[in-house]
Amino acid sequence: MRRALAASVAAVVLVVTGGAAHAEPVPSIAWAPCQDNPDGECGTLSVPLDWRKPRGERIDIALGRHRATDPARRLGVLMVDPGGPGGSAAEFALSGLFSPELRARFDIVGIDQRGTGGSLAIRCADLMDGQPSIYPEDEAGFAALLAHNKTVLRKCRERSGPVFDHADGATVAQDMDAARRALGERKISYFGLSYGTVFGQAYAERFGGKVRAMVLDSVVDHSADARRFVGDRAAAGDDAFREFASWCDRTTDCVLHGQDVYAAWEAALVRADGEPQGRQGLLDGMYYALRGPEWLWAADLVAGRSLRAQAFEPNYESVRLATVCQDFSLRIRNFQDYQRLRADELRRSPIMRGSFLGHDEATACIGVPGPPANPPHRLDIGDAPKILVLNAKYDPTTPYAWAVNVHRQAPRNTALLTYEGWGHIAYPRSACTRGGVDDYLLDLKTPAISCPAVP
């Protein structure tokens, strides 16, 4: 941290919040060595609970920093977020994902989004015990799910305190800019993965002039309505399965090689109906296998050889109620709405029977009152520099169609790098994807538009 920062508490900047300008002292960060990582620094930053009330109640958010290992060639700060929502960005900043050159040239900084990690983590997963089916078959089933969700929301809000109502993506973007000011940086670079791309888009919209460079890897399209939020993912899941089937057809290592993979899959679904984890357990397992991708495991699933449990980030199921439900209009009002959404999902995904993640998140938001705090909308980043968007072509979590649409919404301010292969998160997939991102972040060079798939 720059020495000048020690005196920054006395400095004053003009902050615009909710249309009104006010003077506010530049915040400071209390840094100390991380207890479990000697190479990193951990800190806290005080920010307003509600950015519309900057002089009101305040909360502390947690940060992690890995200082540039070559200070003489330092380019500034690279803020990072692993997505989820639920992943700790403070821990992610100290991870081994980033290339040696990025670690040499940037101070890599992660901010635990509100409700995550060291930033007042929302932990309510235990409240979801006894949840009715998220695939209701009639009015009574929907009513039971609605009543359960409302109880979870009420108890989770009571347990979590006021941060529960102030954890949407636009609010996280305000926290990011407070961190930029506290770090003494005129501009920042940003690297967001998966749901971290929602925070990046929000920052670019509100603080585009403060962006030096931005990478959105496996992008979540914040313009998606409920139908596309679920349906695009459902279609992407089937596309990923077709790629798996093609791999089996040409690969002798696949236990299904020489068989009709689609027929074997249908038989596996019927067989799963009589097993403890049921059909949904098999569908969920296949989703994770395609997301990897782990095609050997996918083949074992179809052959009935392997079904292992998977899990998201520790507080994903909790924080999504405060974040995803406030960043998207996932308001399924009644059983008729649900039937229409489910019918479209199944129409677009006859193989995988819909989207595991999209359906799960949409039904988790049933019962959330009022409009979202950060509603979906067309991307508006006219003040931002060229942003790099990259995505695998066959990603069942963040569909390639979302990356294409984000680029289409801002063609002058985005460059699209397509990884022609499979799985979720494109950066570490090949020398081409890693090199393209690194060259962009280091030298602001727009990379080639396509990287070949790596089997």
Side-chain angles (χ1 to χ4, degrees), residues 103-174:
R103 290 161 66 88
R105 306 291 300 279
F106 288 101
D107 288 350
I108 301 178
V109 175
I111 305 169
D112 282 351
Q113 70 163 101
R114 295 159 178 240
T116 291
S119 299
L120 300 174
I122 297 170
R123 299 201 184 279
C124 301
D126 60 300
L127 299 175
M128 299 170 196
D129 292 346
Q131 181 188 54
S133 173
I134 62 171
Y135 299 90
E137 297 182 354
D138 51 30
E139 296 272 6
F142 183 87
L145 181 59
L146 174 62
H148 173 84
N149 283 7
K150 285 185 173 181
T151 298
V152 170
L153 285 164
R154 176 177 55 79
K155 291 183 177 180
C156 191
R157 180 178 282 108
E158 291 171 356
R159 177 185 294 182
S160 306
V163 72
F164 188 89
D165 294 313
H166 300 281
D168 61 275
T171 300
V172 172
Q174 295 274 16

Side-chain angles (χ1 to χ4, degrees), residues 73-225:
R73 297 193 303 141
R74 180 183 179 276
L75 290 171
V77 163
L78 175 63
M79 283 193 190
V80 297
D81 192 282
S88 169
E91 294 178 4
F92 182 58
L94 309 180
S95 74
L97 177 74
F98 310 102
S99 68
E101 189 67 5
L102 291 185
R103 290 161 66 88
R105 306 291 300 279
F106 288 101
D107 288 350
I108 301 178
V109 175
I111 305 169
D112 282 351
Q113 70 163 101
R114 295 159 178 240
T116 291
S119 299
L120 300 174
I122 297 170
R123 299 201 184 279
C124 301
D126 60 300
L127 299 175
M128 299 170 196
D129 292 346
Q131 181 188 54
S133 173
I134 62 171
Y135 299 90
E137 297 182 354
D138 51 30
E139 296 272 6
F142 183 87
L145 181 59
L146 174 62
H148 173 84
N149 283 7
K150 285 185 173 181
T151 298
V152 170
L153 285 164
R154 176 177 55 79
K155 291 183 177 180
C156 191
R157 180 178 282 108
E158 291 171 356
R159 177 185 294 182
S160 306
V163 72
F164 188 89
D165 294 313
H166 300 281
D168 61 275
T171 300
V172 172
Q174 295 274 16
D175 294 343
M176 289 168 55
D177 201 60
R180 176 195 62 80
R181 292 184 283 117
L183 291 163
E185 298 292 324
R186 189 174 66 86
K187 293 187 177 184
I188 59 165
S189 299
Y190 180 77
F191 190 174
L193 310 181
S194 196
Y195 207 85
T197 66
V198 175
F199 308 146
Q201 290 169 76
Y203 189 85
E205 288 186 318
R206 291 158 179 78
F207 305 103
K210 305 299 182 184
V211 176
R212 172 190 170 272
M214 179 174 287
V215 177
L216 305 177
D217 183 348
S218 304
V219 67
V220 176
D221 182 1
H222 192 226
S223 72
D225 59 11

Side-chain angles (χ1 to χ4, degrees), residues 239-251:
D239 287 343
F241 188 98
R242 293 184 186 99
E243 289 294 300
F244 156 67
S246 295
W247 172 82
C248 272
D249 287 345
R250 65 178 184 268
T251 307

Side-chain angles (χ1 to χ4, degrees), residues 13 18 21 34 45 112 166 176 182 199 223 240 253 281 330 362 372 406 409 438:
V13 295
C34 297
L45 174 65
D112 282 351
H166 300 281
M176 289 168 55
F199 308 146
S223 72
D253 287 345
L330 304 175
V406 166
Q409 292 174 64
D438 284 3

Side-chain angles (χ1 to χ4, degrees), residues 396-441:
T397 300
T398 53
Y400 180 65
W402 285 1
V404 170
N405 195 47
V406 166
H407 177 49
R408 185 183 296 125
Q409 292 174 64
R412 291 183 299 174
N413 297 85
T414 60
L416 176 60
L417 174 59
T418 301
Y419 172 58
E420 302 288 342
W422 317 270
H424 188 50
I425 307 302
Y427 173 64
R429 296 289 170 180
S430 70
C432 179
T433 54
R434 189 180 287 274
V437 169
D438 284 3
D439 288 349
Y440 165 76
L441 286 173

Side-chain angles (χ1 to χ4, degrees), residues 249-389:
D249 287 345
R250 65 178 184 268
T251 307
T252 56
D253 287 345
C254 176
V255 70
L256 305 172
H257 182 68
Q259 300 182 40
D260 182 332
V261 176
Y262 297 98
W265 171 242
E266 292 300 319
L269 289 170
V270 172
R271 185 173 63 247
D273 288 336
E275 296 176 352
Q277 299 220 30
R279 175 175 294 211
Q280 197 58 49
L282 177 59
L283 288 165
D284 295 352
M286 180 57 74
Y287 163 78
Y288 283 108
L290 297 175
R291 167 189 168 105
E294 295 184 56
W295 283 343
L296 288 171
W297 175 35
D300 283 345
L301 283 170
V302 178
R305 293 184 177 185
S306 171
L307 183 58
R308 63 181 188 254
Q310 294 287 310
F312 281 100
E313 296 291 341
N315 66 330
Y316 160 74
E317 288 189 340
S318 306
V319 78
R320 67 181 178 178
L321 300 176
T323 301
V324 179
C325 297
Q326 295 300 332
D327 286 332
F328 290 90
S329 297
L330 304 175
R331 304 297 192 265
I332 304 174
R333 296 169 298 176
N334 51 49
F335 182 59
Q336 288 70 36
D337 276 357
Y338 170 80
Q339 284 182 304
R340 284 189 289 269
L341 190 68
R342 181 61 174 158
D344 185 66
E345 183 184 6
L346 292 174
R347 177 185 63 80
R348 299 188 66 184
S349 180
I351 301 170
M352 288 289 291
R353 274 52 170 191
S355 164
F356 162 74
L357 186 61
H359 188 103
D360 197 45
E361 290 184 335
T363 53
C365 295
I366 291 173
V368 174
N374 178 38
H377 56 272
R378 185 179 179 84
L379 188 63
D380 181 8
I381 54 172
D383 294 334
K386 185 81 77 172
I387 289 172
L388 178 60
V389 178

